[in-house]
Amino acid sequence: MKKVLSACLFLLPLISAAQYYSTGQDPASLHWRQIKTPAFRLIYPESFGNSSQYFANILNLLPDAETKTLHSKVPRIPVILHTQSAQSNGVTVWAPKRIELYPCPPQTLYPEEWLEQLSIHEYRHAVQISKLNRGFTKALYCIFGEQATGAVLGLFIPPWFMEGDAVCTETALTNSGRGRTYAFENILRAQLLEKRIYRYDKAVLGSYRTFIPDQYELGYPLVAETRKVYGPQVWNTPLDRSAKLPFMVVPFSSGIHHETGLTKTKLYRKMLEDLQTEWRKQDDSTRLTGYAPVTRRNPRNFSNYQNPILLNDTLVVSQKQSMDDPDRLVSVNRRTGREKNLLTLGPSSEESLSTGGNYAAWTEFRSHPRWQNKSYSVIRIYDAGARKAFNLTHRSRYFAPALSPDGSRVAAVFLDPENRCSIDILEVPGGRLLRRNTLARNQMALLPNWSPDGKELVMTVLTEKGKTLAAMDPESGRLTGYLPSGFTEIFGTSYFHDHHIFFSADYSGIENLYALDTLTGRVFQVTSARFSATDPDFTSSMDTLVYSDYTSDGMMIVQAPIDTAAWIPLEQVKNYNTGLADTLAAQEKLNLQDTILKKNLYRLYSDSLSVPGSDPAGSIAFPTRKYSKILNLFNPHSWAPASFDLNNLTLHPGVMVLMQNALSTTFASAGFDYNVNEETGKFFANLSYQGLYPVFDLSFSIGNRAGYTIIEPDHEQVRFTWQELNFSAAVSIPWDFSTGKYYRTLSPSFGTSLIQVNHLASTPENFTSGLIESLDYRLSFAQYFRQAVRDIYPRWGQALNFTFRNTPFSKNNLGSILETDLTLYFPGLFRHHSLWMYGGYQYLYEPSVSNYRFADLINYPRGYSDLRNQSVYSLMFNYMLPLFSPDWSVGSVLYFKRFKLNLFFDYAEGFNQDALNVYQSAGAELTTDVHLLRFLYPFELGLRTIYLPRTNSWEFQFLYAIRY
């Protein structure tokens, strides 16, 4: 039994993380509808109704197509569309099971309709997880519900496989996908050619020392190369063994060994060695063009200088991402390389920077203060003369703003909640809408840019036939295509140069700059980069080209003279890519975009926005009906023959059921909990409803409690019990006012707690009885500067809390407690060091001695506990610094990413009437971020050493936490 409980305790952090995973809520005013197909339950806002039939038919194509190489039967799964968000994303969760999609397409869209590519990727995750729900895991499901499948997934299936396999699927079943986007392989290819193959733990679990490709960039080539060598069915056995034999130490690795003769780590190295060999052949066949660097490479601080734009002939403005700093807008002197920080950016799109006149423009995301699934994309303007930034738009859905050459206008892509696309022309600096040019239903404009005379806009246009370069007359909205539409990827912003349009494309198997001659229609390769060349701009004399060039240390700004004689005609360009995507497509033997039904759906969608039920190509007119929020309020998804607290990660004997509905508005749990220490049990129920503007939390429990009393004269301890009924209710508003470089949150709350104490036969006469009622008031505010990857704490920040509790109406008057505290964060002496201080004050009023007392809210100095003072002042000083990031592996058991040291001094003064109590402590906390058994989330483990001057003694405490 102890072994089972230990296993459950190890699973508990994972279960709690998966259990209540929520992307947030949509506005309460939304009305929802639903379509049920044999495989899906599509839940969408009414405003998306015109597109719902088209999307439902697309979803209907996926089950047969996506289970050919990974055999699985997927139960009907909810698919929720969050159309009010300006973010582009998707997530598949299994406790409760659902797919959540954010339909707003990004400007970095590859040549495929966004919702289609998103649903193909996310449904593959549903296939993967469903395949785990068999054998022994199926038995676990009967005992624990959906959380059991999620736990097996988190413990045994590496994220690189999950994401890599999904990218393989999106690539193999379409004409596009990230696997056909050669820039997608840049990071891993550059690492293997310029650096080395990192150890498995470092590649999978990350590093604070070295930049590492993410699970998508590592996973796709690893999964695809394995399929290429061992066949398309190779990944079935590892998943089958993980499902049927999860009690094995390494079932996934065992399945890999069964299919390939290699362990998981040896397969990783062999596949990367094979890729390294293929990429070296490609590298040897590539004749590079020369350039002069503007920015310097720094192997210790991977940095991306994106979208370099000339503000004038000397200064280049760029969006900079690095491991040492939050994202910034910087200017770089292209002659000296000297760099200057202009401002820290908020969350922004990667491809959104432009300049014109004395301005620079980009977009940043803004969240709705209350609804996490409602967000905006606003245009920000930096005035170089005034050296300040301002919002040109508010609560908008604008993307890729392009300033006109004189800076008086900005052209931006506008997307409505149904993804209808327009090019809007706005006035600068006022932001007034001058003109809206709406594109056809099946057209998506990407990354517009002005001609030098400000009379034309050039952009990439996406249709069902792929991407093309086109020009728009901003006055009439008329589009003129320059290239045949196709599925060769066209990247980034395009630029005019004389009678040429410069753009980035994949023709050579490497992302390079190309020039389209608008007079002849011919295309020429301008650069031949080792990894990637993108985002061109030109000096005013039009004789020097400035662009971004990718290296293993990041995207660097470079410059080169324009030499038309060295340009290579497109018909002479050779593609030396490894062809992984073609191998995957040949294995699947199905392209969803080429099916008659898909082509017919696109035509109907573009023309009439409807799908007739009698269409000969097989489209279906699915019945739609209202989605009732009330009838779908509760959704039990997991249960357990135990009771655990998700907040405190405690486990007790008992039974419980967990609920979360599809819209993540209702969270509930109920069951029976047995307290081992007191040997008593209680029934409990908890409910949190977050579908209205305020959040409502309710909690109820009833059962027995136990304690001990002392019998004189022998000081004998006698156990007694009493019955206790607890009810609490609270209302709060979790506001999020984050903008730009600061996270800002504000949360007021009010609650009440009722405790009814009833005596039993063994309860002493003098023990509290009757009703205890308390009122609770709380206000929390926090503001933090955005952190860099290597930061431990924010460089600047403030957190203020105010709490007051009293019992004004209770027969059992417990008095009142008032507490307020302030935490401040400051930069340390060196980079990534942090000085943070805590100050708090608490006043406690207790009119009489009672068995029930308010718990302390203030932090006492470390090393002290169970103190009681009428009033307390508390101060804490901490200096946190990173020691080193070793990336040490101890077999497959431990992987140490970083060691940290915190030096502290704590001081408090407590007052009881006229008595003064002084508490002091000082010491150090040595901690490490470590992954156990290659578990995805790191644990923070360490030792605290405390010196207590009052007693001249030392204490030692073991520290542990898990970092989600």
Side-chain angles (χ1 to χ4, degrees), residues 531-781:
F531 303 112
S532 172
T534 186
D535 297 320
D537 199 7
F538 309 92
T539 57
S540 60
S541 59
M542 293 294 182
D543 61 355
T544 302
L545 174 67
V546 176
Y547 61 97
S548 290
D549 182 84
Y550 190 80
T551 74
S552 61
D553 295 319
M555 190 78 77
M556 297 294 114
I557 302 175
V558 300
Q559 56 187 345
I562 296 177
D563 181 9
T564 57
W567 294 0
I568 304 172
L570 182 59
E571 56 269 20
Q572 297 178 21
V573 174
K574 295 182 180 180
N575 188 333
Y576 296 101
N577 189 265
T578 57
L580 273 178
D582 296 332
T583 301
L584 297 173
Q587 291 175 345
E588 294 288 351
K589 298 178 182 179
L590 173 67
N591 188 311
L592 290 174
Q593 291 176 319
D594 290 342
T595 61
I596 296 175
L597 174 57
K598 173 61 175 68
K599 290 181 177 180
N600 190 56
L601 283 172
Y602 215 110
R603 177 180 60 80
L604 292 166
Y605 174 67
S606 304
D607 296 343
S608 62
L609 304 180
S610 64
V611 181
S614 59
D615 187 88
S619 61
I620 303 171
F622 293 102
T624 69
R625 61 187 178 90
K626 178 183 177 182
Y627 180 83
S628 172
K629 295 180 184 179
I630 296 177
L631 296 180
N632 293 281
L633 203 59
F634 296 100
N635 174 39
H637 61 82
S638 298
W639 43 88
S643 172
F644 50 83
D645 188 322
L646 300 177
N647 296 316
N648 300 320
L649 299 182
T650 57
L651 178 68
H652 295 151
V655 62
M656 71 183 304
V657 61
L658 299 160
M659 292 170 272
Q660 178 180 339
N661 64 352
L663 296 180
S664 295
T665 56
T666 304
F667 304 84
S669 62
F672 176 78
D673 177 275
Y674 183 78
N675 189 317
V676 177
N677 295 325
E678 293 188 2
E679 298 182 351
T680 59
K682 66 178 180 180
F683 294 93
F684 67 89
N686 302 299
L687 172 69
S688 177
Y689 184 70
Q690 302 178 17
L692 298 176
Y693 200 88
V695 173
F696 296 92
D697 293 296
L698 300 174
S699 178
F700 172 81
S701 68
I702 185 170
N704 288 352
R705 296 286 312 279
Y708 291 87
T709 186
I710 304 297
I711 303 297
E712 299 294 349
D714 298 327
H715 300 287
E716 179 184 0
Q717 275 194 342
V718 177
R719 182 177 182 270
F720 67 94
T721 60
W722 71 94
Q723 185 191 65
E724 190 169 291
L725 181 151
N726 283 270
F727 173 80
S728 64
V731 56
S732 61
I733 303 177
W735 278 316
D736 183 346
F737 298 110
S738 300
T739 57
K741 61 186 178 183
Y742 285 104
Y743 293 102
R744 291 189 182 96
T745 60
L746 176 65
S747 181
S749 66
F750 169 74
T752 183
S753 298
L754 303 176
I755 303 175
Q756 177 65 42
V757 179
N758 297 320
H759 284 202
L760 300 177
S762 61
T763 312
E765 288 283 338
N766 61 346
F767 191 79
T768 302
S769 66
L771 182 66
I772 302 171
E773 180 183 2
S774 70
L775 298 180
D776 307 300
Y777 310 84
R778 184 175 175 84
L779 180 67
S780 299
F781 170 77

Side-chain angles (χ1 to χ4, degrees), residues 390-428:
F390 60 91
N391 288 347
L392 184 72
T393 65
H394 304 270
R395 298 198 171 190
S396 57
R397 289 170 64 96
Y398 282 119
F399 305 88
L403 282 161
S404 61
D406 63 359
S408 64
R409 293 171 295 166
V410 64
V413 177
F414 171 77
L415 295 172
D416 70 13
E418 264 202 280
N419 290 344
R420 293 293 302 268
C421 181
S422 303
I423 298 293
D424 283 8
I425 312 297
L426 294 91
E427 182 184 57
V428 178

